[in-house]
């Protein structure tokens, strides 16, 4: 018997709901409830589209035959999150004749979600976007909260906008086809929520490692729901990342620097993907916290052991220069007045934003790898 879908509400000025459950991509009513007008652009990538796009389009067309539906497919991978592909999405909306009540459906992982959300934010100064995340990482992080962006050579997510979705529909059944590497990458972001504010969730992740790595539906649904609840609580209080929301970036400043230095390589090569880079970044942030006297080194060891148990990397890849990584970290959006502002911790579940972090201390941690 299939479990009933879970719903997580995100409040604030632009409230919406996150729906979590198996088979949701085939539920026409749930999909069409989020679409106000008659123009729909389905944006996906060339890995996901062959698997799910026809199903979603058919469900929409059966429920609302009057919908004018078009699709735009981009190459899979972080390397596609560019201004050129953003322009392609905008041109697709123009060809569709999309009006102010149009909707962009983001069917894919974080790259598709970020790109689709940014296009929706900019077309006619903002049309609806519904997130249909197909990766665990997107379900627990990028699809929720309305942060949309593209990358440029100088850094990750430097061009973008805040644009909350009209709804998030996370069909957990699609995770059954997710490559193991991508599942592990998503679990890095799940572990992050335990690390920043929920020691009991951290312990649950230690205990449920086998079930989660095996793709157990119930365990994954619980992990997704708990992660989304944490993010929803923080986003509601700080929608534009003026304060508390920065805590969600534990490990991200280090991780983004690694991704940028590696050039956002295509999937399948030796470059770290986003979740893997965040895993390394969390260990580096924990080590820096210990070096600054904020936390016990034993907490770093505990975090490192959990990430290793989930098959995630915990060290900077070979060949990356510490000085280059530090230069990329200086471009992080959390920085103020040219000073490093990092998310560090005082132990598991106790993250905080630390302003004016000493660059010499950061460089030493980068040199140690």
């Amino acid at each position: 018997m299939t479990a009933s879908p879970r719903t997580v509400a995100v409040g604030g000025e632009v409230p919406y709901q996150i729906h979590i459950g198996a088979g949701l991509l085939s539920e026409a009513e749930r999909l069409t409830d989020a679409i106000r007008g008659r123009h729909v652009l389905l944006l996906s990538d060339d890995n996901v589209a062959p698997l799910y796009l026809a199903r979603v389009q058919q469900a929409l067309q059966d429920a609302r035959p009057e919908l004018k539906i078009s699709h735009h497919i981009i190459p899979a991978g972080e390397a596609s999150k560019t201004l050129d592909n953003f322009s392609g999405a905008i041109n697709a909306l123009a060809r569709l004749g999309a009006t102010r009540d149009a909707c962009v459906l983001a069917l894919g992982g974080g790259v598709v979600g970020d790109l689709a959300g940014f296009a929706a934010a900019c077309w006619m100064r903002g049309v609806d976007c519904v997130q249909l995340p197909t990766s665990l990482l997107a379900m627990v992080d990028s699809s929720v909260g309305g942060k949309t962006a593209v990358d440029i050579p100088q850094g990750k997510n430097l061009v973008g906008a805040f644009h909350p979705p009209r709804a998030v529909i996370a069909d957990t059944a699609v995770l059954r086809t997710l490559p193991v590497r991508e599942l592990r990458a998503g679990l890095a972001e799940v572990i992050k929520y335990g690390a920043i504010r929920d020691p009991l969730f951290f312990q649950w992740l230690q205990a449920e490692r086998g079930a989660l790595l095996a793709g157990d539906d119930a365990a994954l649904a619980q992990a997704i729901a708990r992660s989304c609840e944490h993010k929803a609580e923080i986003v509601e209080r700080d929608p534009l990342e003026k304060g508390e929301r920065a805590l969600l970036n534990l490990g991200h400043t280090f991780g983004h620097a690694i991704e940028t230095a590696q050039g956002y390589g295509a999937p399948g090569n030796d470059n770290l993907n986003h979740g893997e880079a965040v895993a390394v970044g969390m260990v580096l942030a924990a080590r820096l916290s210990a070096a600054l006297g904020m936390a016990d080194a034993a907490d770093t060891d505990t975090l490192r052991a959990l990430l290793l148990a989930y098959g995630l990397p915990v060290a900077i890849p070979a060949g990356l220069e510490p000085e280059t990584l530090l230069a990329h970290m200086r471009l992080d959006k959390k920085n103020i007045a040219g000073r490093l502002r990092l998310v560090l911790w005082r132990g598991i579940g106790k993250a905080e934003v630390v302003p004016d972090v000493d660059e010499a201390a950061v460089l030493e941690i980068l040199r140690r790898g």
Side-chain angles (χ1 to χ4, degrees):
M1 182 176 177
T2 303
S4 299
R6 299 168 182 244
T7 300
V8 176
V10 182
E13 291 186 9
V14 186
Y16 56 94
Q17 291 188 323
I18 306 164
H19 305 279
I20 305 160
L24 299 189
L25 287 183
S26 299
E27 291 190 7
E29 185 176 350
R30 197 181 298 272
L31 293 169
T32 55
D33 278 351
I35 298 172
R36 294 189 288 186
R38 65 186 185 91
H39 293 111
V40 176
L41 177 67
L42 264 165
L43 198 152
S44 191
D45 68 37
D46 57 11
N47 281 347
V48 173
L51 298 172
Y52 306 115
L53 190 143
R55 180 196 307 181
V56 173
Q57 183 162 344
Q58 191 63 54
L60 292 171
Q61 210 77 71
D62 289 347
R64 288 183 54 185
E66 82 281 5
L67 288 177
K68 187 177 180 183
I69 303 172
S70 180
H71 62 260
H72 181 67
I73 312 300
I74 63 171
E78 186 74 29
S80 289
K81 209 169 82 172
T82 63
L83 286 169
D84 281 346
N85 281 321
F86 164 76
S87 178
I90 292 296
N91 287 333
L93 285 164
R95 288 192 300 272
L96 179 62
T99 50
R100 288 294 302 275
D101 59 357
C103 183
V104 180
L105 295 183
L107 178 66
V111 170
V112 166
D114 277 8
L115 188 66
F118 188 32
C122 294
W123 180 252
M124 293 192 173
R125 297 192 179 95
V127 297
D128 290 340
C129 181
V130 174
Q131 295 281 347
L132 308 177
T134 60
S135 71
L136 178 59
L137 196 151
M139 289 180 186
V140 301
D141 187 53
S142 58
S143 69
V144 181
K147 285 170 69 174
T148 73
V150 296
D151 305 331
I152 59 175
Q154 291 82 359
K156 187 177 168 72
N157 296 331
L158 291 181
V159 182
F162 286 97
H163 190 61
R166 183 160 169 79
V168 179
I169 300 173
D171 185 343
T172 55
V174 307
L175 299 179
R176 296 168 192 161
T177 62
L178 198 66
V180 173
R181 183 180 179 189
E182 295 301 319
L183 179 68
R184 294 175 190 270
L187 288 167
E189 289 281 4
V190 173
I191 291 168
K192 176 195 72 177
Y193 290 102
I196 63 174
R197 70 195 306 256
D198 192 342
L200 291 179
F201 186 42
F202 191 95
Q203 292 173 13
W204 182 85
L205 291 168
Q206 290 174 309
E208 296 296 324
R209 175 178 62 88
L212 290 166
L213 287 174
D216 179 79
D217 286 339
L220 285 171
Q222 173 67 14
I224 294 165
R226 192 73 191 110
S227 299
C228 287
E229 286 165 0
H230 279 304
K231 186 158 189 178
E233 290 172 8
I234 292 174
V235 166
E236 183 174 341
R237 290 192 292 266
D238 185 17
L240 301 181
E241 200 170 318
K242 301 294 185 182
E244 181 186 10
R245 183 168 176 173
L247 294 176
L248 295 169
N249 292 317
L250 177 68
H252 284 58
T253 302
F254 288 103
H256 286 173
I258 292 169
E259 290 183 87
T260 303
Q262 291 191 319
Y264 317 120
N269 64 15
D270 293 332
N271 291 359
L272 299 188
N273 62 32
H274 177 69
E276 292 166 342
V278 167
V280 175
M282 286 193 288
V283 172
L284 296 173
R287 284 179 176 162
L288 179 58
S289 301
L292 295 176
M294 294 176 57
D296 194 312
D299 287 313
T300 303
D301 295 338
T302 300
L303 174 62
R304 184 176 181 277
L306 183 61
L307 293 168
L308 284 171
Y310 275 88
L312 289 159
V314 294
I316 296 172
L320 298 184
E321 293 295 328
E323 292 79 6
T324 300
L325 294 174
L326 181 59
H328 288 309
M329 292 175 69
R330 292 189 184 109
L331 268 180
D332 187 85
K333 298 180 296 299
K334 292 185 297 301
N335 295 339
I336 296 175
R339 309 294 293 180
L340 285 183
R341 183 168 171 259
L342 300 177
V343 182
L344 303 178
W345 73 356
R346 295 192 181 276
I348 296 165
K350 301 175 184 176
E352 63 183 67
V353 181
V354 179
D356 201 15
V357 178
D358 180 30
E359 287 195 1
V362 175
L363 191 58
E364 177 59 28
I365 294 298
L366 292 172
R367 285 172 175 160
R368 286 165 49 190

